Amino acid sequence: MNIKKLLFAGSLLAGLAATAAFAQDAAVPAADAATEAVAPTVDKGDVAWMMTATLIVLFMLMPGLALFYGGLVRAKNMLSVLMQCTVISGVAIIVWVVWGYSFAFGGGTSPYWGGLGKLFLSGVTVDSTAATFTDGVALPEYLFIAFQMTFAMITPALIVGAFAERIKFSAVVLFTVLWLTFAYFPIAHMVWDGAGLIFNGTLSGGVGALDFAGGTVVHINAGIAALVGCFFVGKRTGLGKDMMAPHSMTLTMVGASILWVGWFGFNAGSNLESTAGAVLAMINTFTATAGALLTWCVIETMMRGKASMLGGASGIVAGLVAVTPACGTIGPVGAIVLGGLASAGCYFFVSVVKNKFQYDDSLDVFGIHGIGGIIGAVGTGIFTASSLGGVGLADGVSMGAQVWAQIVGVLVTLVWGGVISAILFKIVDLVVDLRPTLEQEREGLDLVYHGEAAYHS
C-alpha cells in the first residue's frame, strides 16, 4: 500500500513538473505576443503618404515661395530672392540635423526646449520610430525628422519678403542660423512637444492651444520677425518715388499656385497618418482658400473697381495661412468663413494699416502671414466647436476657455519671436551690417551679390 502511494505521489509530481514545464514553455510565446501587441506598428500607407507630403512641402519653398516672392520684386533683384530661398533651404537642413531636431523634439522635459539628447541625430536609426496621433501607430523617426525639417526650411524664408531688395546676402544667412536656433526651435517645442509650454496650457488654465499645422510656429513666428526686420533694415531706397511694381505677376501667380498645392503636404501631412483626419485637413485647405480668394477679389472690386491678380494671389495665401492651425479640427463650411474673415483682416492691414504707419513690409509678410496667422489661431478655438461644424473641443473645455488658450499661444509667440528677433537683427547688424550701400542697392542685388542677371535683352 505504501509502495502504491509512493508510486502515485511520484506520478503526480512528475505530472506537475511536466505541466509546469509546459506552462513555462507556453509563457514564452505568450510574452512575445504581448510584446508584439504593444510594439508600435509602422504602416506602409502612412509612410508613403508622409514621404509624399514631405516632398511637396519642399516644393512649396523650392520653387513655390521663391517664384512667388521673385515675381513681386524688381527684375534687378529677382535672383537675390531666389538665392536667399535656395541657400536658406540648405542652411536649415544642416542646422536641423545637427542641433535643431534635438532643440525642438529631443525628449527633454523643459517647457521651452527639447534638450541636447539628439544632437547630430544621436540615437536615431532606421528602426527607431516617432509617435503619431493613434496609439500603437508610428512612423520611422527619420521620416518625422524630414517632415518637420521642411517646416524649419520654409519658415525663415517667409521672413525675407519683408525686407526684400535691401538686405545683404551674408546678413540673411547669419540671421537664419540664429533665428532658427533661438526663435523657431523653442516655439516648435512649446507648441508641438508634449512637454511644451503652449501645448500643456501652463499659462492658460491647463488648456493647451490647438495648432494643427503651424499657425503659431510658422506664420505668426515669421510674421512678427518680418515686422521687426522692417524697422531694423529700414525702407527701400526710393520708396514712394521710384517705380517698384512687381516685375512679373505671371511668376507670382505660378508661385502662388505651387504654394496652394504644396500646402496640402503642410496641412494634411500634419495629420501624420493617411486617415480621414488627413482628408479633413485636405478639404479645409480647399475651402478656406477659396473663401479667402473670393473675399479679397470682392473687397478689391468694391474698393478699387477691379480685382487684380496680385489681390487674387494675396487672397490665396491669406486663406492658406488662416486655415493652417485649424485645418484638422474645423469643418469645411467653417473653413470658408474663417478664410473670408482672414482675407478681410489681411486686406485691411496691407492697404490701410501699413500705409497709416508707413513701415516698408515689402511683400506684406506681417500683413498676411502675421495677421492671417493670428486670425486663424484665434478662429481655431471658435470653429473647432461641434456646434459650428468642427470635430469638437476636448471634454470639459468650453469655447471661451479654448479661445483664451489660443490667444495666450498667440501672445507668447509674438513676445518671444518679437524680442528674440529684435536682439538677433541687432547682433547681425553689428557683425556684418544689414544693408548694402546706397550704390549697391541702386545697382541691384543680383549683380552685387551673385554676379549675374535674371534676364538678358
PDB file of all heavy atoms in Angstrom, residues 46-63:
ATOM      1  N   ASP A  46       0.894  54.948 -44.444  1.00  0.00           N
ATOM      2  CA  ASP A  46       1.274  56.174 -43.747  1.00  0.00           C
ATOM      3  C   ASP A  46       2.653  56.650 -44.203  1.00  0.00           C
ATOM      4  O   ASP A  46       2.872  57.848 -44.416  1.00  0.00           O
ATOM      5  CB  ASP A  46       1.302  55.948 -42.230  1.00  0.00           C
ATOM      6  CG  ASP A  46      -0.079  55.680 -41.650  1.00  0.00           C
ATOM      7  OD1 ASP A  46      -1.078  56.040 -42.301  1.00  0.00           O
ATOM      8  OD2 ASP A  46      -0.150  55.109 -40.542  1.00  0.00           O
ATOM      9  N   VAL A  47       3.572  55.694 -44.343  1.00  0.00           N
ATOM     10  CA  VAL A  47       4.930  56.046 -44.754  1.00  0.00           C
ATOM     11  C   VAL A  47       4.919  56.658 -46.154  1.00  0.00           C
ATOM     12  O   VAL A  47       5.550  57.686 -46.415  1.00  0.00           O
ATOM     13  CB  VAL A  47       5.853  54.808 -44.713  1.00  0.00           C
ATOM     14  CG1 VAL A  47       7.217  55.127 -45.324  1.00  0.00           C
ATOM     15  CG2 VAL A  47       6.027  54.335 -43.268  1.00  0.00           C
ATOM     16  N   ALA A  48       4.180  56.027 -47.066  1.00  0.00           N
ATOM     17  CA  ALA A  48       4.117  56.534 -48.443  1.00  0.00           C
ATOM     18  C   ALA A  48       3.517  57.939 -48.484  1.00  0.00           C
ATOM     19  O   ALA A  48       4.021  58.833 -49.187  1.00  0.00           O
ATOM     20  CB  ALA A  48       3.299  55.580 -49.308  1.00  0.00           C
ATOM     21  N   TRP A  49       2.439  58.151 -47.717  1.00  0.00           N
ATOM     22  CA  TRP A  49       1.813  59.471 -47.703  1.00  0.00           C
ATOM     23  C   TRP A  49       2.740  60.526 -47.111  1.00  0.00           C
ATOM     24  O   TRP A  49       2.888  61.623 -47.658  1.00  0.00           O
ATOM     25  CB  TRP A  49       0.501  59.442 -46.928  1.00  0.00           C
ATOM     26  CG  TRP A  49       0.044  60.799 -46.470  1.00  0.00           C
ATOM     27  CD1 TRP A  49      -0.203  61.205 -45.207  1.00  0.00           C
ATOM     28  CD2 TRP A  49      -0.180  61.956 -47.302  1.00  0.00           C
ATOM     29  NE1 TRP A  49      -0.560  62.532 -45.175  1.00  0.00           N
ATOM     30  CE2 TRP A  49      -0.552  63.016 -46.453  1.00  0.00           C
ATOM     31  CE3 TRP A  49      -0.086  62.196 -48.661  1.00  0.00           C
ATOM     32  CZ2 TRP A  49      -0.844  64.289 -46.919  1.00  0.00           C
ATOM     33  CZ3 TRP A  49      -0.376  63.484 -49.147  1.00  0.00           C
ATOM     34  CH2 TRP A  49      -0.755  64.513 -48.272  1.00  0.00           C
ATOM     35  N   MET A  50       3.392  60.205 -45.996  1.00  0.00           N
ATOM     36  CA  MET A  50       4.230  61.190 -45.337  1.00  0.00           C
ATOM     37  C   MET A  50       5.492  61.506 -46.149  1.00  0.00           C
ATOM     38  O   MET A  50       5.995  62.636 -46.104  1.00  0.00           O
ATOM     39  CB  MET A  50       4.592  60.726 -43.931  1.00  0.00           C
ATOM     40  CG  MET A  50       3.414  60.749 -42.958  1.00  0.00           C
ATOM     41  SD  MET A  50       2.609  62.370 -42.859  1.00  0.00           S
ATOM     42  CE  MET A  50       3.954  63.367 -42.247  1.00  0.00           C
ATOM     43  N   MET A  51       6.017  60.529 -46.875  1.00  0.00           N
ATOM     44  CA  MET A  51       7.122  60.833 -47.784  1.00  0.00           C
ATOM     45  C   MET A  51       6.668  61.802 -48.869  1.00  0.00           C
ATOM     46  O   MET A  51       7.370  62.757 -49.222  1.00  0.00           O
ATOM     47  CB  MET A  51       7.661  59.539 -48.404  1.00  0.00           C
ATOM     48  CG  MET A  51       8.409  58.646 -47.430  1.00  0.00           C
ATOM     49  SD  MET A  51       8.926  57.071 -48.143  1.00  0.00           S
ATOM     50  CE  MET A  51      10.194  57.629 -49.294  1.00  0.00           C
ATOM     51  N   THR A  52       5.457  61.582 -49.396  1.00  0.00           N
ATOM     52  CA  THR A  52       4.901  62.480 -50.415  1.00  0.00           C
ATOM     53  C   THR A  52       4.668  63.873 -49.850  1.00  0.00           C
ATOM     54  O   THR A  52       5.007  64.888 -50.473  1.00  0.00           O
ATOM     55  CB  THR A  52       3.575  61.907 -50.955  1.00  0.00           C
ATOM     56  OG1 THR A  52       3.797  60.596 -51.468  1.00  0.00           O
ATOM     57  CG2 THR A  52       3.005  62.789 -52.051  1.00  0.00           C
ATOM     58  N   ALA A  53       4.072  63.931 -48.653  1.00  0.00           N
ATOM     59  CA  ALA A  53       3.806  65.224 -48.018  1.00  0.00           C
ATOM     60  C   ALA A  53       5.098  65.992 -47.781  1.00  0.00           C
ATOM     61  O   ALA A  53       5.162  67.214 -47.984  1.00  0.00           O
ATOM     62  CB  ALA A  53       3.061  65.014 -46.690  1.00  0.00           C
ATOM     63  N   THR A  54       6.133  65.302 -47.374  1.00  0.00           N
ATOM     64  CA  THR A  54       7.426  65.942 -47.127  1.00  0.00           C
ATOM     65  C   THR A  54       7.978  66.572 -48.401  1.00  0.00           C
ATOM     66  O   THR A  54       8.464  67.708 -48.395  1.00  0.00           O
ATOM     67  CB  THR A  54       8.423  64.912 -46.562  1.00  0.00           C
ATOM     68  OG1 THR A  54       7.913  64.394 -45.331  1.00  0.00           O
ATOM     69  CG2 THR A  54       9.786  65.543 -46.316  1.00  0.00           C
ATOM     70  N   LEU A  55       7.856  65.850 -49.492  1.00  0.00           N
ATOM     71  CA  LEU A  55       8.386  66.358 -50.766  1.00  0.00           C
ATOM     72  C   LEU A  55       7.593  67.558 -51.267  1.00  0.00           C
ATOM     73  O   LEU A  55       8.170  68.502 -51.814  1.00  0.00           O
ATOM     74  CB  LEU A  55       8.384  65.250 -51.814  1.00  0.00           C
ATOM     75  CG  LEU A  55       9.369  64.106 -51.555  1.00  0.00           C
ATOM     76  CD1 LEU A  55       9.223  63.031 -52.628  1.00  0.00           C
ATOM     77  CD2 LEU A  55      10.804  64.624 -51.525  1.00  0.00           C
ATOM     78  N   ILE A  56       6.264  67.550 -51.091  1.00  0.00           N
ATOM     79  CA  ILE A  56       5.511  68.692 -51.616  1.00  0.00           C
ATOM     80  C   ILE A  56       5.621  69.915 -50.710  1.00  0.00           C
ATOM     81  O   ILE A  56       5.394  71.036 -51.168  1.00  0.00           O
ATOM     82  CB  ILE A  56       4.045  68.347 -51.936  1.00  0.00           C
ATOM     83  CG1 ILE A  56       3.277  67.863 -50.712  1.00  0.00           C
ATOM     84  CG2 ILE A  56       3.968  67.322 -53.052  1.00  0.00           C
ATOM     85  CD1 ILE A  56       1.797  67.605 -51.008  1.00  0.00           C
ATOM     86  N   VAL A  57       5.974  69.725 -49.435  1.00  0.00           N
ATOM     87  CA  VAL A  57       6.299  70.904 -48.613  1.00  0.00           C
ATOM     88  C   VAL A  57       7.605  71.529 -49.114  1.00  0.00           C
ATOM     89  O   VAL A  57       7.737  72.753 -49.182  1.00  0.00           O
ATOM     90  CB  VAL A  57       6.398  70.552 -47.118  1.00  0.00           C
ATOM     91  CG1 VAL A  57       6.830  71.773 -46.306  1.00  0.00           C
ATOM     92  CG2 VAL A  57       5.065  70.033 -46.594  1.00  0.00           C
ATOM     93  N   LEU A  58       8.565  70.693 -49.485  1.00  0.00           N
ATOM     94  CA  LEU A  58       9.779  71.221 -50.116  1.00  0.00           C
ATOM     95  C   LEU A  58       9.423  71.968 -51.396  1.00  0.00           C
ATOM     96  O   LEU A  58       9.970  73.048 -51.677  1.00  0.00           O
ATOM     97  CB  LEU A  58      10.742  70.072 -50.436  1.00  0.00           C
ATOM     98  CG  LEU A  58      11.960  70.433 -51.304  1.00  0.00           C
ATOM     99  CD1 LEU A  58      12.856  71.450 -50.607  1.00  0.00           C
ATOM    100  CD2 LEU A  58      12.750  69.181 -51.662  1.00  0.00           C
ATOM    101  N   PHE A  59       8.485  71.436 -52.160  1.00  0.00           N
ATOM    102  CA  PHE A  59       8.037  72.070 -53.407  1.00  0.00           C
ATOM    103  C   PHE A  59       7.426  73.445 -53.148  1.00  0.00           C
ATOM    104  O   PHE A  59       7.514  74.346 -53.984  1.00  0.00           O
ATOM    105  CB  PHE A  59       7.019  71.143 -54.088  1.00  0.00           C
ATOM    106  CG  PHE A  59       6.674  71.518 -55.502  1.00  0.00           C
ATOM    107  CD1 PHE A  59       7.657  71.718 -56.452  1.00  0.00           C
ATOM    108  CD2 PHE A  59       5.346  71.636 -55.891  1.00  0.00           C
ATOM    109  CE1 PHE A  59       7.335  72.042 -57.764  1.00  0.00           C
ATOM    110  CE2 PHE A  59       5.006  71.956 -57.191  1.00  0.00           C
ATOM    111  CZ  PHE A  59       5.999  72.162 -58.136  1.00  0.00           C
ATOM    112  N   MET A  60       6.804  73.619 -51.972  1.00  0.00           N
ATOM    113  CA  MET A  60       6.285  74.933 -51.594  1.00  0.00           C
ATOM    114  C   MET A  60       7.376  75.992 -51.599  1.00  0.00           C
ATOM    115  O   MET A  60       7.160  77.132 -52.029  1.00  0.00           O
ATOM    116  CB  MET A  60       5.685  74.893 -50.187  1.00  0.00           C
ATOM    117  CG  MET A  60       4.386  74.172 -50.029  1.00  0.00           C
ATOM    118  SD  MET A  60       3.927  74.106 -48.278  1.00  0.00           S
ATOM    119  CE  MET A  60       3.603  75.836 -47.942  1.00  0.00           C
ATOM    120  N   LEU A  61       8.532  75.599 -51.081  1.00  0.00           N
ATOM    121  CA  LEU A  61       9.646  76.548 -50.968  1.00  0.00           C
ATOM    122  C   LEU A  61      10.437  76.631 -52.265  1.00  0.00           C
ATOM    123  O   LEU A  61      10.725  77.717 -52.756  1.00  0.00           O
ATOM    124  CB  LEU A  61      10.557  76.128 -49.813  1.00  0.00           C
ATOM    125  CG  LEU A  61      11.881  76.887 -49.638  1.00  0.00           C
ATOM    126  CD1 LEU A  61      11.644  78.379 -49.513  1.00  0.00           C
ATOM    127  CD2 LEU A  61      12.633  76.349 -48.430  1.00  0.00           C
ATOM    128  N   MET A  62      10.796  75.472 -52.786  1.00  0.00           N
ATOM    129  CA  MET A  62      11.606  75.376 -53.992  1.00  0.00           C
ATOM    130  C   MET A  62      10.812  74.663 -55.075  1.00  0.00           C
ATOM    131  O   MET A  62      10.700  73.439 -55.025  1.00  0.00           O
ATOM    132  CB  MET A  62      12.890  74.595 -53.693  1.00  0.00           C
ATOM    133  CG  MET A  62      13.738  75.187 -52.617  1.00  0.00           C
ATOM    134  SD  MET A  62      14.556  76.688 -53.142  1.00  0.00           S
ATOM    135  CE  MET A  62      15.581  76.027 -54.442  1.00  0.00           C
ATOM    136  N   PRO A  63      10.169  75.375 -55.995  1.00  0.00           N
ATOM    137  CA  PRO A  63      10.337  76.798 -56.289  1.00  0.00           C
ATOM    138  C   PRO A  63       9.174  77.697 -55.891  1.00  0.00           C
ATOM    139  O   PRO A  63       9.155  78.861 -56.261  1.00  0.00           O
ATOM    140  CB  PRO A  63      10.434  76.772 -57.818  1.00  0.00           C
ATOM    141  CG  PRO A  63       9.429  75.727 -58.208  1.00  0.00           C
ATOM    142  CD  PRO A  63       9.490  74.678 -57.111  1.00  0.00           C
TER     143      PRO A  63
END
